[in-house]
Amino acid sequence: MKRDEFATEEHIGRFSVQVARAALGQRLRELRRQAGLTGVQLAESLSWQQSKISKLETA
């Protein structure tokens, strides 16, 4: 495999991870809102910091 091909595959891999993270964050926000919870309430119920919820939802 050529070096350029590897770099392209690596870039594609990173891109797909970013897409997956964004989809996860969007789904988390949808489910949280459907449950009628704020980010703070969800974080407290999971024993997480609210900033973690925020980062996940805005990824």
Side-chain angles (χ1 to χ4, degrees), residues 38-41 43-44 48-55 57:
T38 66
V40 171
Q41 291 169 325
E44 287 176 355
W48 290 358
Q49 292 188 4
Q50 191 276 332
S51 61
K52 180 179 265 188
I53 301 297
S54 179
K55 286 177 185 177
E57 289 186 351

Side-chain angles (χ1 to χ4, degrees), residues 12-43:
I12 290 170
R14 278 192 244 149
F15 177 75
S16 63
V17 169
Q18 289 172 340
V19 171
R21 284 181 181 160
L24 174 64
Q26 182 177 6
R27 185 67 176 137
L28 177 62
R29 178 175 281 158
E30 290 171 4
L31 292 171
R32 176 181 60 75
R33 287 180 175 170
Q34 286 175 6
L37 297 173
T38 66
V40 171
Q41 291 169 325
L42 178 60

